Amino acid sequence: MRQIAADRLSPAQDDFYDALMQAHAGLSEAESHALNARLVLMMANRIGDVGALRELIDTARSYSDG
Amino acid sequence: MAYDYTPFPYTDPPGLTETEPRHAVVIVGAGPVGLAMAIDLALRGVKSVVLDDNNVVSMGSRAICWSKRTMEIFDRLGVGERMLAKGVTWKVGRNFHGHREVFSFDLLPEDGHKYPAFINLQQYYVEEYLVERARDFPELIDLRFRNKVVGHTDLDGCVQVEIETPSGSYKLETEYLIACDGAGSATRERMGLDFTGQTFQEQFLIADIEMEQSPFGDADVPERWFWFDPPFHPGKSALLHMQPDNIYRIDLQLDVDADGKAEAAEDRVIPRIKAVVGDKPFKLDWVSVYKFRCIKLDRFVHGRVVFVGDSAHVVSPFGARGGNGGIQDVDNLGWKLAAVLNGEADARLIETYHEERSHGSAENILNSTRSTNFMTPKSPIEALFRAEALKLAQDQPFAQKLLNSGRLSVPCSLEGMALQTPGAAQIAPGTALVDAPLSSEAGDTWLLREVQGEFTLVGFGDVVLPEVVGLRRIGINHRADYPCFTALQNHAIRRYGAGKAYLFRPDGHVCAVFDTPTEAAVREAMARACGAKLTEDTA
């Protein structure tokens, strides 16, 4: 079952999104994918709870078909 | 029906035949900002001359979204109720992606406010109402159409202005020159001030159409509709707004390399509009193709020349921060300029207009730049993130919040700046007033009506207000020998807290709060708000 998460980003969501886009500025597509991969791994470490991470993986995956 | 552009009459100014006495204030530009400036000053007894090279109101609807805060300022200037009656009040915004509605928001005007979150009203109506209002002050406002400023020189203690009219040229002297001459400000260019910032490559087509039937589906209620990648305009964005007189505003993003002139031609525009509204009959009213920039001047105050509105800062239109920002500039500058001209404050007070409004415009630029970036992804990876955010926004609340089709203008806080006395309260010093309904034996009223215009000390609930020379006092839910009101539905007490006193500046911003206000403390806070504590360094 897909997990619906409570919003924890607002009201700073635009600060985050802008920082993320700026981190990608000037990178090639391959470099951007590499940056994203590093970010996912680091965010996983920050979350630290493998059960929660499995839920996130399943939830993210659940959008792939739609 | 289409607007009737009646020209304003030109009359020969006295300066053509004789030297005019030095003026206190000359305002360049009779757009919404210049006119509001003249009215604000007139309400404080300050005379001004308004010069405009044109003689009709704005061609095309241009600025249409007026925010609650702007309406509250227009209320003080005497045109708010008329604008509200004519304007379209909307509160629901819908965001679409392709065929699907991904997220809608309700601006939820909570009860107990005189004005709604937004109204839509064409700029030409706003200018018409302001010109009529300005005519209420024939002794104070001297409106001069077809008077084109062609030069100005900062002399010792005044500014000399050179003007061309259909009957010849003349010169004026003024203590202050207020440049309200818009994004392409000739005053700014003459002074060679740097005005370079971020220019966006994207072009947008803007069209006003007149149609009897509503394009908002069967519901037929005014809303704001925004499409990311709509089926009728693939890969781009689109925006739909309603205006009075059955006029609708459509904004369409064009290709970066589109030919603006060709795109504005009727045979190109009509199929695009049909793609949005379908087979419903419509008439084109106004079309424009534009690019935009996000820029502000480093300094809004240059000695005796002060920049107000678009001449000082320009933003992208997404978020309704251009016209609204300009009116808040006027609100901030009016009482300060009047205080300086009336000898009640040092000229350094005008510098705080720069501190306070430069901050506001930086906030507007940041928000509108981010909205524009979200709407127009610059790289495949930006497009990817946006596409996935839109996908998650189907059901994830956090992703709905990430969708950025314009963060709509909210009043900017002046917290922590020089004129405010630090303090803790539900409404912190620096915040613009939060309206609330009141009543008294004289009838029902609104907090904004009783507070705006001059320094006012307001006691909420059980608090005793001292008498301070030159300061208006009002009480809410208490008894005293100054005017007292009842908080209807207790809104005012809930919003401000009981047992608190708030000192409001003439522009309705809180500048100090007190639990037990003493005469000395209130007087000190008022002096501080008038610039008494400014040092030479900050000037």
Side-chain angles (χ1 to χ4, degrees):
Chain A
M1 242 236 350
R2 180 181 289 174
Q3 302 282 321
I4 303 298
D7 167 40
R8 285 155 50 93
L9 273 178
S10 73
Q13 75 274 25
D14 292 348
D15 292 335
F16 158 71
Y17 199 83
D18 190 43
L20 183 61
M21 293 304 111
Q22 285 192 21
H24 282 280
L27 300 186
S28 69
E29 247 183 291
E31 289 168 337
S32 274
H33 286 308
L35 174 65
N36 284 336
R38 289 195 297 276
L39 259 177
V40 168
L41 296 173
M42 290 168 66
M43 286 176 176
N45 179 56
R46 176 63 69 93
I47 293 166
D49 174 342
V50 177
L53 289 167
R54 278 189 204 282
E55 277 177 17
L56 284 173
I57 291 168
D58 291 345
T59 300
R61 184 68 201 237
S62 74
Y63 292 86
S64 295
D65 308 322
Chain B
M1 95 214 120
Y3 184 80
D4 175 26
Y5 292 93
T6 310
F8 299 116
Y10 163 81
T11 46
D12 281 345
L16 283 173
T17 48
E18 61 190 10
T19 304
E20 296 183 29
R22 182 180 293 178
H23 296 280
V25 177
V26 166
I27 296 165
V28 191
V33 172
L35 292 165
M37 189 80 243
I39 295 165
D40 194 319
L41 292 171
L43 288 167
R44 304 177 195 288
V46 174
K47 288 186 180 185
S48 65
V49 178
V50 184
L51 305 169
D52 199 282
D53 57 355
N54 206 335
N55 64 343
V56 285
V57 295
S58 151
M59 297 300 283
S61 58
R62 294 168 69 185
I64 60 165
C65 288
W66 305 97
S67 72
K68 176 171 184 291
R69 181 63 199 143
T70 300
M71 293 305 297
E72 290 169 352
I73 297 165
F74 277 139
D75 184 273
R76 179 171 66 74
L77 300 182
V79 294
E81 291 179 1
R82 196 174 174 195
M83 286 176 64
L84 180 63
K86 177 74 185 175
V88 169
T89 297
W90 62 275
K91 63 186 184 95
V92 172
R94 297 184 191 279
N95 287 311
F96 299 89
H97 179 216
H99 286 283
R100 201 172 46 213
E101 182 175 340
V102 279
F103 176 54
S104 66
F105 59 89
D106 189 334
L107 294 170
L108 263 190
E110 45 168 11
D111 276 355
H113 293 267
K114 181 169 182 183
Y115 289 96
F118 271 94
I119 71 157
N120 286 359
L121 182 64
Q122 297 90 322
Q123 183 170 333
Y124 42 75
Y125 279 118
V126 178
E127 291 185 17
E128 176 192 319
Y129 298 170
L130 287 167
V131 167
E132 286 182 26
R133 176 65 175 143
R135 303 248 193 248
D136 290 342
F137 305 93
E139 304 300 317
L140 295 169
I141 301 178
D142 184 347
L143 274 175
R144 300 184 186 182
F145 296 102
R146 300 184 73 188
N147 274 243
K148 184 182 184 179
V149 176
V150 293
H152 77 271
T153 317
D154 202 338
L155 302 176
D156 194 21
C158 74
V159 182
Q160 189 182 65
V161 188
E162 295 154 55
I163 300 148
E164 276 176 5
T165 75
S167 320
S169 303
Y170 70 104
K171 287 180 183 175
L172 285 182
E173 281 186 1
T174 180
E175 289 187 53
Y176 284 93
L177 182 69
I178 312 298
C180 306
D181 47 354
S185 172
T187 309
R188 189 187 65 222
E189 284 179 13
R190 207 177 292 126
M191 292 169 71
L193 301 175
D194 184 38
F195 202 60
T196 48
Q198 187 173 5
T199 300
F200 290 85
Q201 294 308 308
E202 283 71 23
Q203 301 193 81
F204 287 81
L205 171 75
I206 187 167
D208 277 359
I209 58 167
E210 186 184 341
M211 63 188 269
E212 291 296 322
Q213 295 166 275
S214 165
F216 291 109
D218 301 329
D220 193 16
V221 286
E223 297 182 338
R224 174 192 196 263
W225 284 13
F226 189 93
W227 289 266
F228 296 102
D229 193 11
F232 55 79
H233 195 51
K236 298 286 189 294
S237 62
L239 175 65
L240 176 67
H241 262 296
M242 182 181 178
Q243 307 169 47
D245 304 341
N246 290 325
I247 307 273
Y248 295 87
R249 156 78 60 88
I250 294 169
D251 254 278
L252 293 170
Q253 183 191 353
L254 301 174
D255 285 322
V256 168
D257 51 4
D259 175 350
K261 229 181 194 155
E263 291 294 346
E266 245 181 67
D267 58 328
R268 291 289 279 278
V269 175
I270 286 181
R272 289 194 187 280
I273 305 295
K274 279 192 173 155
V276 184
V277 303
D279 293 331
K280 295 170 181 170
F282 67 88
K283 215 168 70 191
L284 263 188
D285 187 64
W286 175 65
V287 176
S288 168
V289 171
Y290 66 95
K291 275 188 186 179
F292 49 76
R293 304 173 295 171
C294 285
I295 315 171
K296 70 183 189 65
L297 277 174
D298 286 339
R299 297 209 61 79
F300 291 3
V301 181
H302 290 260
R304 292 179 173 273
V305 182
V306 185
F307 291 87
V308 181
D310 282 359
S311 69
H313 45 74
V314 291
V315 294
S316 92
F318 300 101
R321 291 163 182 275
N324 289 305
I327 299 303
Q328 287 175 58
D329 286 353
V330 168
D331 195 39
N332 191 288
L333 179 61
W335 67 274
K336 295 176 181 175
L337 190 55
V340 170
L341 286 166
N342 293 335
E344 297 155 10
D346 186 273
R348 278 175 300 172
L349 183 61
I350 292 174
E351 290 288 333
T352 68
Y353 159 72
H354 167 77
E355 182 198 13
E356 296 186 341
R357 288 308 301 161
S358 178
H359 164 76
S361 90
E363 202 174 277
N364 286 336
I365 286 174
L366 180 71
N367 277 294
S368 77
T369 301
R370 287 175 173 180
S371 300
T372 310
N373 286 338
F374 192 86
M375 281 182 243
T376 60
K378 303 287 180 298
S379 66
I381 206 76
E382 286 191 13
L384 178 66
F385 268 108
R386 197 186 79 172
E388 295 307 311
L390 280 160
K391 204 181 276 175
L392 291 170
Q394 288 171 50
D395 51 10
Q396 299 286 354
F398 86 96
Q400 293 167 354
K401 293 265 176 72
L402 282 174
L403 304 188
N404 191 341
S405 68
R407 302 289 184 220
L408 297 168
S409 169
V410 291
C412 135
S413 169
L414 308 174
E415 199 171 350
M417 294 189 190
L419 300 185
Q420 280 63 251
T421 301
Q426 276 174 241
I427 310 282
T431 313
L433 77 86
V434 177
D435 199 12
L438 305 174
S439 79
S440 74
E441 282 165 15
D444 289 353
T445 181
W446 295 94
L447 186 65
L448 70 91
R449 270 282 153 106
E450 305 305 321
V451 161
Q452 295 196 119
E454 57 186 278
F455 277 101
T456 307
L457 184 64
V458 185
F460 293 88
D462 198 11
V463 58
V464 179
L465 303 184
E467 187 172 352
V468 179
V469 177
L471 177 64
R472 176 167 71 182
R473 288 178 295 174
I474 66 169
I476 293 170
N477 286 11
H478 74 239
R479 269 172 201 281
D481 56 358
Y482 41 80
C484 286
F485 301 86
T486 305
L488 289 174
Q489 290 104 46
N490 214 36
H491 282 305
I493 301 295
R494 208 166 40 243
R495 285 171 189 161
Y496 287 86
K500 276 271 183 189
Y502 285 73
L503 180 62
F504 290 88
R505 314 194 317 190
D507 58 11
H509 281 259
V510 175
C511 62
V513 293
F514 311 90
D515 290 318
T516 44
T518 63
E519 195 264 349
V522 173
R523 203 154 33 86
E524 194 184 333
M526 199 167 135
R528 177 172 178 156
C530 288
K533 288 191 102 154
L534 298 173
T535 63
E536 293 293 340
D537 300 343
T538 61

